[in-house]
Amino acid sequence: MAFKVNEFVEVCGVDEVYKHAFYVCRISRINGTELEVVYENRRGLSGEAMVETVGVDQVRRIPEAVVADFDDSDFVEVWLSGGWWREVVVWEDDVSALLYFAYRQPGEQHFIYPKEQLRIHQKCYDSGKYTFWLYKRRNSGESVQPREQVEILGVDGIFKFAVFGGRVVSVGENMVQVEYDTLLNPAGGRLVEMVHVSQVRSIPDVVICDFKETEFVEAWIEGGWWGGIVVGVTNDAAIVYFGYKHVGSQYILIRKTLLRIHQKWKRSGMYSMWVYRKKMM
């Protein structure tokens, strides 16, 4: 991982308790695979900000914010004592969640916290130029269910670069009948068609982030999310390159409110695995 002096990161501990926590730090010095960090929310015996030397394998970049409600068995992080602590949701309602702390003593393993104190747990992998973030979300079942809201991926021509929202009508062995939210049939009603199960995916959570050049994004155009590459940015918009469009319509200036980061999806049993990448600083 290519970190820089004065970069803000998150540091994970190494002992049996603190290895479950992430604290925000500023890198003050780099010496090979060791980093000297200054903690934002931990204090030493003198009351000043705690300074510590940690291994590079304990450090990760600060994750983007993912807007997500929480479900039973989701892995989350709760804000406690100035750090983010990794836990598992075992019960939730509209405003709070009961978390399970596996590493605590019996009788101290279950606590209820307000949802605004939680964030979804994300894993981080650096490739040199990009940081890849992975998180998983609970599905409604092993496969899609009737009435479930989903996204449908196209397969033909330029539509293989687009994703459209819809609702599952019925489920067969390998095919799913869907009703689109925005695509219409010749009579003017919502389009209903059969698609292969591999074209249907869960709806990704919203990742709150700015956009940088060379990042893969999706733009809301004509009722669907169309994939493209950012080639330029302004304060409130981005120039997106759509390589599959006709010459003369490949570069479009789009407001950032109509963009979302591109996320890859894989269904794994009861969970959806989501991966997105962000360009390093």
Side-chain angles (χ1 to χ4, degrees), residues 122 130-137 139 151 153 163 198 200-205 207 215-218 227-228 260-268 271-278:
Q122 301 183 65
Y130 295 96
T131 299
F132 291 82
W133 292 97
L134 180 148
Y135 65 96
K136 69 179 186 179
R137 300 288 281 131
N139 290 323
E151 291 189 339
L153 289 69
V163 181
S198 63
V200 180
R201 73 177 192 180
S202 302
I203 298 175
D205 293 295
V207 178
E215 288 184 343
F216 288 106
V217 296
E218 295 170 2
R260 70 182 187 183
I261 200 71
H262 172 68
Q263 300 188 64
K264 290 186 176 183
W265 171 82
K266 179 180 179 181
R267 198 178 191 105
S268 177
Y271 291 94
S272 284
M273 312 296 291
W274 294 98
V275 179
Y276 64 94
R277 75 177 199 183
K278 291 293 294 173

Side-chain angles (χ1 to χ4, degrees), residues 56-126:
V56 68
D57 58 339
Q58 295 176 242
V59 181
R60 73 174 189 180
R61 303 185 191 282
I62 296 177
E64 308 290 342
V66 175
V67 179
D69 204 352
F70 306 104
D71 203 350
D72 297 355
S73 77
D74 276 346
F75 285 95
V76 297
E77 296 168 11
V78 57
W79 181 257
L80 291 174
S81 304
W84 291 101
W85 292 75
R86 187 174 68 251
E87 321 301 343
V88 179
V89 176
V90 294
W91 169 88
E92 55 82 31
D93 60 19
D94 291 340
V95 297
S96 59
L98 176 66
L99 305 185
Y100 172 61
F101 297 74
Y103 48 88
R104 292 191 177 183
Q105 297 294 325
E108 300 179 355
Q109 294 179 317
H110 294 86
F111 289 90
I112 295 177
Y113 294 97
K115 287 186 174 180
E116 60 265 24
Q117 205 169 322
L118 307 180
R119 70 181 186 185
I120 203 72
H121 173 63
Q122 301 183 65
K123 292 185 177 181
C124 169
Y125 306 91
D126 279 2

Side-chain angles (χ1 to χ4, degrees), residues 160-266:
K160 67 183 178 182
F161 300 98
V163 181
F164 294 89
R167 178 181 64 88
V168 175
V169 178
S170 62
V171 181
E173 184 176 352
N174 293 310
M175 304 296 290
V176 179
Q177 186 180 48
V178 297
E179 180 185 64
Y180 290 91
D181 293 334
T182 57
L183 297 184
L184 305 179
N185 59 35
R190 291 186 177 183
L191 177 63
V192 177
E193 68 173 357
M194 297 295 294
V195 300
H196 193 269
V197 66
S198 63
Q199 295 175 245
V200 180
R201 73 177 192 180
S202 302
I203 298 175
D205 293 295
V206 176
V207 178
I208 300 177
C209 63
D210 205 353
F211 304 102
K212 301 181 179 69
E213 294 181 5
T214 74
E215 288 184 343
F216 288 106
V217 296
E218 295 170 2
W220 181 257
I221 301 174
E222 297 177 350
W225 292 101
W226 294 78
I229 301 174
V230 175
V231 295
V233 293
T234 67
N235 288 336
D236 57 1
I239 302 172
V240 181
Y241 172 65
F242 301 88
Y244 47 87
K245 289 182 176 287
H246 295 297
V247 175
S249 61
Q250 292 179 320
Y251 294 89
I252 303 177
L253 181 66
I254 302 176
R255 295 197 309 273
K256 290 180 179 179
T257 54
L258 297 177
L259 298 178
R260 70 182 187 183
I261 200 71
H262 172 68
Q263 300 188 64
K264 290 186 176 183
W265 171 82
K266 179 180 179 181

